[in-house]
Amino acid sequence: MTVFEVTRGSSPVILAFPHTGMEVPPEIWGRLNDNGKLLADTDWHIHELYAGLLPEATTVRATFHRYVIDANRDPEGVSLYPGQNTTGLVPQTDFDGVAIWRGGKEPDSDDIADRLARFHTPYHGALKAEIERVKAMHGMAVLYDCHSIRSLIPFLFEGALPDFNIGTDLGRTCDDRIEKTAAEITGRAQGYTSVVNGRFKGGWTTRHYGKPDTGVHAIQMELAQVTHLTTEAPPFAYDAGKAERLRHHLKDILTSIEAIALDLKR
């Protein structure tokens, strides 16, 4: 099984896709219960949504499912949101708090260590290598972490999630021009709602790599799935009409961030 896919480009922008993968090795698949086998907590069609929007952007995509191990969680298992409901490095439940593993087959510490070595570490090794390559080309790099989630998940947050959820760990992970530009574009997008550093402030990837003083900037975009899916329920079908309207704004964000990055390197 290939753990990750990389497409190299010449842009200073890197797109990361940690949660679009659907691969689950047979020995892990057999331990999932019927609810887990739905793989419902996937970032459905996100790599398709972003395809071609910034042609020279490098992309790094995990091919394994987040139920195998979550590529956007701290490898030490530290919670991103202490005191709030969330899912862990190797999730025990889905986003509704419902068990995903067969009784007695839940992953233990040995399983987690094995999956870190087989999946999490290689994915981040590839991502780190691309950040270093792009930084060597441009003197800096911008990591744009691509995500989506259902707009209504009472276990994780109250009410409906905004359509665009920008995360920069309260401005710590990128130059303020990057955050401000993404906020301005999403704020004026008609028919959409947006927030900066709301329920989602940037996952481990954004917080780990986003260190502007070293020349590496990172920003997370969490999209409500209602913006590009027919319904937020199985079969989680891609809505081409919704997606095309959304892609217009995403392209504006990415091309604007690329322009800022090229200015920052001067």
Side-chain angles (χ1 to χ4, degrees), residues 3-206:
V3 173
F4 56 83
E5 298 173 347
V6 174
T7 301
R8 288 182 166 177
S10 59
S11 170
V13 178
I14 300 165
L15 305 183
F17 300 94
H19 292 153
T20 66
M22 298 288 289
E23 296 293 328
V24 181
E27 70 276 12
I28 297 176
W29 179 262
R31 296 169 65 173
L32 289 166
N33 62 23
D34 288 344
N35 180 53
K37 288 177 179 178
L38 294 175
L39 304 181
D41 300 328
T42 302
D43 288 12
W44 298 99
H45 309 289
I46 284 294
H47 55 302
E48 180 180 357
L49 182 70
Y50 279 93
L53 293 182
L54 197 65
E56 283 302 316
T58 292
T59 65
V60 182
R61 186 176 87 90
T63 60
F64 54 92
H65 195 265
R66 70 188 304 157
Y67 290 171
V68 175
I69 192 166
D70 194 325
N72 197 35
R73 294 291 184 271
D74 189 325
E76 300 297 324
V78 178
S79 176
L80 294 170
Y81 300 100
Q84 295 179 277
N85 287 339
T86 187
T87 54
L89 179 60
V90 174
Q92 297 295 319
T93 72
D94 64 13
F95 286 164
D96 295 310
V98 180
I100 59 174
W101 303 100
R102 294 167 52 201
K105 298 295 183 179
E106 297 86 355
D108 60 20
S109 59
D110 289 340
D111 292 315
I112 294 171
D114 175 63
R115 297 182 197 185
L116 275 169
R118 291 169 59 195
F119 303 99
H120 193 285
T121 298
Y123 169 76
H124 281 284
L127 187 55
K128 181 180 178 183
E130 292 309 307
I131 291 171
E132 291 175 349
R133 182 185 68 84
V134 168
K135 185 180 175 184
M137 291 173 60
H138 296 283
M140 54 82 65
V142 178
L143 176 60
Y144 181 102
D145 208 29
C146 308
H147 295 265
S148 74
I149 194 168
R150 285 181 286 139
S151 59
L152 296 170
I153 308 180
F155 181 70
L156 297 183
F157 49 81
E158 294 182 3
L161 196 69
D163 298 318
F164 294 101
N165 298 266
I166 298 164
T168 64
D169 195 24
L170 304 178
R172 298 183 183 96
T173 64
C174 66
D175 185 277
D176 60 0
R177 285 174 285 179
I178 294 172
E179 178 189 291
K180 182 179 178 182
T181 296
E184 288 177 346
I185 293 169
T186 58
R188 65 173 181 257
Q190 290 189 343
Y192 295 94
T193 55
S194 64
V195 69
V196 178
N197 292 311
R199 172 60 178 86
F200 297 99
K201 297 177 175 63
W204 185 77
T205 301
T206 303

Side-chain angles (χ1 to χ4, degrees), residues 239-260:
D239 187 313
K242 285 184 177 180
E244 197 54 42
R245 291 190 295 274
L246 181 61
R247 278 168 56 85
H248 169 78
H249 301 294
L250 294 174
K251 183 174 183 177
D252 195 5
I253 293 167
L254 292 177
T255 54
S256 297
I257 287 176
E258 183 180 60
I260 292 168

